[in-house]
Amino acid sequence: MKPFSKPIYITRPLMPPLHKFTAKLRQIWKSKWLSNNGIQLQTLEKKIQRVLKVPHISLFNNGTIALLTAIKSLNLKGEVITTPFTFPATPNCLTWCNITPVFCDIDSVTMNIDPAKIEKNINKKTTGILAVHVFGSPCDVPTIQKIAERNSLKVVYDAAHGFEIEINNIGIGNFGDISMFSFHPTKLFHTGEGGALTCKDKILKKKIDLLRNFGIKNEEEVLLPGINGKMNELISAFGHVLLPLVKAEQKRRKRISELYKRYIDNIPGVTYQKDIPMVKTNYQYFVIRINSRIFGRSRNDVYNIFRTYNIYARKYFFPLCSQYPYYKHLPSSNPKNLPNAHRIADEVLALPFYGQLSISEAEKIISLLKSLGK
Ligand SMILES: Cc1ncc(COP(=O)(O)O)c(C=O)c1O
């Protein structure tokens, strides 16, 4: 097989037709209203609230600032239990709030925080659980909720990958105290940069909105030490024109995912995330796991060989957050406490997955994978 003549990246952002965006921009030019709770933001919030089926939503300039705001709004402090198998933003937001992340091992199948291992990490300093719906696959939300109630802890979900995920027709943003969504260009729905917080509590929503805007209540009252987390009008306008395209993008990705799965079902040593009953998937990522003993080559081998074919797969998530130089000294970072996380971080590979990837390109990628096995 010949290498691809152009690089095949892990993802390509969904782009709206330029004329639709410029039409929106014309409205903004006329209004001369560029930020601070403008009409584009207000109307986009309503639309996304409906799509995510959540009672309250606040849009942000990115997911990381949204997550920081969630942590502040719940007054988390001391220690918060989280997963090492995530993007740096998850534990780093805790650190920015002077909170020590406590890394808990993950489930060997779902790759999400293992609820059975949460409680042994709880002590007097613990104030919350920050769990991640990894690759859009939901955490065990009922069990996490029970643990939180039993121990008077708050729950924040990093749902950066979770756009439109539902459990039993309930939007994923309804679980825990607050959920954070990312609208980074690598995400299914995106706004260039952007994010959101969702919650059920009206009073908490008010606090989130205050914190998002420096804590300013009105011209003469500043009530909280807030930050600038506002999504501006230009970005909100982009969201308006992109949102209607998500369904078609998902359809295209579904075809690719079906093709990948068909091949992988016949590749010993390679597995993918199985659909979970009653969970609506979103086709955010396509992540495989490579068992080197059965497959005959390691994940790193495949990653490196793919490169020679101009295919840019991604070791996602590798390394674990607990291996970062500034976290590895933590007692909870001891690899002995995190056996599943360590094994999985060495097995995972995110394959190129986006609507513009043609079926023949996808077929070439997955045939190459098959040819590399025993
Ligand atoms: C799991 C996870 N959490 C948080 C973030 C940060 O979101 P953002 O890039 O919107 O700040 C990301 C990344 O994009 C992510 O993948």
Side-chain angles (χ1 to χ4, degrees):
M1 191 184 119
K2 278 207 270 173
F4 283 97
S5 55
K6 59 174 175 62
I8 301 288
Y9 296 112
I10 171 85
T11 190
R12 302 262 78 191
L14 182 57
M15 296 297 286
L18 188 55
H19 72 273
K20 292 215 168 148
F21 187 40
T22 50
K24 274 273 171 204
L25 290 180
R26 230 169 254 125
Q27 294 172 9
I28 296 173
W29 254 243
K30 245 194 211 155
S31 73
K32 296 194 169 56
W33 193 304
L34 297 183
S35 191
N36 292 20
N37 207 23
I39 191 75
Q40 300 291 338
L41 172 87
Q42 287 181 32
T43 47
L44 185 64
E45 270 186 350
K46 290 220 169 71
K47 279 188 197 168
I48 297 183
Q49 181 196 351
R50 277 198 295 274
V51 172
L52 298 183
K53 301 187 181 170
V54 288
H56 301 294
I57 188 164
S58 307
L59 299 186
F60 277 78
N61 45 13
N62 64 60
T64 304
I65 296 286
L67 190 53
L68 279 176
T69 307
I71 292 165
K72 283 284 180 198
S73 70
L74 294 171
N75 290 324
L76 297 185
K77 42 185 168 313
E79 294 184 0
V80 166
I81 298 167
T82 190
T83 167
F85 190 66
T86 183
F87 189 70
T90 317
N92 287 0
C93 282
L94 296 171
T95 304
W96 269 57
C97 296
N98 289 322
I99 295 166
T100 306
V102 175
F103 295 112
C104 173
D105 203 12
I106 58 176
D107 182 89
S108 61
V109 176
T110 67
M111 300 185 265
N112 291 324
I113 195 164
D114 183 351
K117 294 181 183 161
I118 290 179
E119 264 177 321
K120 71 170 191 220
N121 287 298
I122 296 175
N123 62 37
K124 274 194 213 132
K125 292 188 215 152
T126 315
T127 56
I129 300 167
L130 171 53
V132 181
H133 302 300
V134 171
F135 311 137
S137 165
C139 293
D140 180 352
V141 288
T143 309
I144 292 176
Q145 192 57 38
K146 274 190 211 130
I147 294 170
E149 281 166 17
R150 222 171 19 239
N151 296 281
S152 305
L153 303 178
K154 301 284 184 197
V155 180
V156 177
Y157 283 110
D158 178 334
H161 307 166
F163 194 77
E164 272 200 21
I165 295 285
E166 292 174 13
I167 308 175
N168 284 325
N169 296 319
I170 300 169
I172 196 84
N174 288 282
F175 299 98
D177 293 281
I178 302 182
S179 297
M180 177 280 281
F181 294 81
S182 165
F183 303 150
H184 183 266
T186 50
K187 304 298 182 283
L188 178 69
F189 167 75
H190 72 94
T191 53
E193 290 274 4
L197 292 183
T198 62
C199 67
K200 289 173 295 217
D201 179 352
K202 208 159 93 183
I203 298 168
L204 186 57
K205 151 81 174 159
K206 276 204 171 138
K207 189 172 180 190
I208 289 169
D209 286 348
L210 260 183
L211 286 171
R212 178 178 66 169
N213 187 30
F214 313 100
I216 296 174
K217 184 179 179 208
N218 57 42
E219 278 186 31
E220 298 190 359
E221 288 177 281
V222 181
L223 300 184
L224 291 168
I227 199 165
N228 185 356
K230 302 187 300 291
M231 180 180 274
N232 71 48
E233 288 292 277
L234 307 170
I235 291 301
S236 305
F238 187 95
H240 275 289
V241 290
L242 201 83
L243 192 57
L245 308 180
V246 170
K247 279 260 164 313
E249 172 71 9
Q250 282 174 317
K251 265 197 189 147
R252 286 189 291 269
R253 290 185 184 205
K254 185 167 185 270
R255 280 186 66 207
I256 297 166
S257 109
E258 283 165 357
L259 172 87
Y260 279 167
K261 286 177 181 176
R262 239 186 356 262
Y263 271 78
I264 294 170
D265 284 339
N266 294 307
I267 310 181
V270 179
T271 51
Y272 53 83
Q273 276 187 302
K274 293 271 186 293
D275 290 342
I276 305 168
M278 305 311 288
V279 171
K280 181 181 162 199
T281 52
N282 66 356
Y283 304 101
Q284 167 65 73
Y285 293 108
F286 195 96
V287 178
I288 59 168
R289 283 170 62 181
I290 299 173
N291 179 324
S292 55
R293 200 174 39 79
I294 304 172
F295 184 65
R297 284 183 211 259
S298 70
R299 182 276 313 275
N300 286 352
D301 292 339
V302 174
Y303 171 87
N304 290 328
I305 295 169
F306 269 22
R307 281 280 174 116
T308 66
Y309 283 84
N310 231 349
I311 303 166
Y312 289 75
R314 193 167 162 205
K315 301 178 198 178
Y316 199 51
F317 298 104
F318 174 88
L320 295 172
C321 297
S322 51
Q323 294 174 297
Y324 299 165
Y326 52 94
Y327 289 138
K328 69 177 183 200
H329 68 280
L330 294 173
S332 67
S333 294
N334 188 334
K336 279 197 197 131
N337 301 327
L338 309 167
N340 290 339
H342 276 269
R343 194 182 66 254
I344 290 169
D346 287 338
E347 289 180 349
V348 279
L349 191 67
L351 297 183
F353 192 56
Y354 49 93
Q356 297 152 63
L357 187 72
S358 72
I359 289 292
S360 64
E361 286 168 329
E363 198 147 22
K364 200 168 151 178
I365 294 165
I366 204 70
S367 311
L368 174 63
L369 178 71
K370 192 166 190 318
S371 73
L372 299 177
K374 265 186 195 163

